[in-house]
Amino acid sequence: DIQLTQSPSFVSASVGDRVTITCRASQGISSFLGWYQQKPGKAPKLLIYAASTLQSGVPSRFSGSGSGTKFTLTVSSLQPEDFATYYCRQRSAYPITFGQGTRLEIK
Amino acid sequence: EVQLVESGGGLVQPGGSLRLSCAASGFTFSDHYMDWVRQAPGKGLEWVGRIRKRANSYTTEYAASVKGRFTISRDDSKNSLYLQMNSLKTEDTAIYYCVRVNDDYYLDVWGTGTTVTVSS
């Protein structure tokens, strides 16, 4: 199985900060990676697919990059509504796997 | 409006069975693969399984943790997805989400989830 490891697991930041979350795959997955945002009590939401393509309706302050085994999600200027948990997910091979999540909290 | 609504969750004893349903609306259900994803209390997301569309013979894939116990099916005439869960274990306790798979194989529409609790 392909393991996805996110870092950090927890980050505390302020409104306006730039934040980067990393997702590392245990083997190469080309660009077959997506990023999801989940707010408490809500279903996850697709932010970015194919490593760097912004899903329709997602603010441009979100961006993704990477290929192979290292990927990043960056929020250029945090807004209050961005405080949530973020997950990466690979669709390169079965079983499909998620990272363990990164919780982004307000400092 | 594109929507997925799960139902059928509840409390069940270990070893028991439960069938979840997901009603789709606002899009052509038969054109999409569909997944189930679950989330145990306070934990991360876990992919449960997938069913492909008719053109791919409705074939399925499962996570190792549920293979042989869970079965995914669909009824395109009713725009519905199902998850039959047998031999339930306490570790199956979770919110279960029905999810649409887009043409690029990413999960672009999520239901609100239904809660399954396995406990004696």
Side-chain angles (χ1 to χ4, degrees):
Chain A
D1 297 5
I2 297 174
Q3 309 299 321
L4 297 179
T5 304
Q6 292 181 227
S7 59
S9 294
F10 174 85
V11 57
S12 180
S14 301
V15 172
D17 284 354
R18 178 185 180 91
V19 168
T20 296
I21 298 168
T22 299
C23 177
R24 292 183 184 271
S26 59
Q27 62 190 75
I29 58 171
S30 185
S31 296
F32 298 134
L33 186 109
W35 288 97
Y36 298 81
Q37 177 194 63
Q38 186 179 32
K39 296 181 180 179
K42 300 293 186 182
K45 170 188 171 183
L46 177 63
L47 295 177
I48 287 171
Y49 64 95
S52 60
T53 303
L54 206 62
Q55 173 72 348
S56 175
V58 175
S60 59
R61 62 180 179 274
F62 290 92
S63 63
S65 66
S67 68
T69 62
K70 184 180 177 183
F71 303 84
T72 60
L73 171 70
T74 298
V75 187
S76 60
S77 178
L78 280 170
Q79 299 302 300
E81 61 268 29
D82 300 336
F83 292 92
T85 300
Y86 293 84
Y87 295 92
C88 57
R89 168 192 164 270
Q90 65 82 18
R91 70 106 168 139
S92 175
Y94 293 105
I96 294 164
T97 48
F98 289 89
Q100 83 278 13
T102 294
R103 185 177 170 191
L104 175 53
E105 289 202 344
I106 300 174
K107 184 181 289 184
Chain B
E1 179 191 6
V2 175
Q3 198 171 13
L4 297 169
V5 179
E6 303 91 339
S7 61
L11 174 64
V12 61
Q13 292 188 339
S17 297
L18 208 57
R19 188 195 196 207
L20 305 184
S21 299
C22 170
S25 59
F27 65 99
T28 305
F29 178 74
S30 59
D31 283 349
H32 290 268
Y33 292 12
M34 296 294 295
D35 280 9
W36 287 97
V37 173
R38 69 184 180 183
Q39 186 168 35
K43 302 297 185 182
L45 301 171
E46 180 186 16
W47 177 75
V48 172
R50 168 170 293 174
I51 186 164
R52 298 179 178 88
K53 56 188 179 183
R54 181 181 179 184
N56 302 97
S57 303
Y58 298 127
T59 51
T60 54
E61 305 285 346
Y62 297 95
S65 58
V66 306
K67 195 168 186 178
R69 300 187 300 122
F70 289 12
T71 302
I72 299 174
S73 61
R74 62 191 296 166
D75 185 338
D76 291 346
S77 69
K78 295 182 179 179
N79 291 334
S80 292
L81 177 72
Y82 305 101
L83 179 64
Q84 177 67 43
M85 303 185 294
N86 298 330
S87 303
L88 282 161
K89 306 175 181 180
T90 55
E91 53 264 40
D92 295 319
T93 294
I95 298 172
Y96 284 75
Y97 295 102
C98 164
V99 195
R100 186 178 82 170
V101 183
N102 72 8
D103 291 345
D104 294 305
Y105 305 101
Y106 293 92
L107 309 182
D108 68 339
V109 179
W110 295 66
T112 54
T114 188
T115 299
V116 173
T117 303
V118 184
S119 174
S120 55

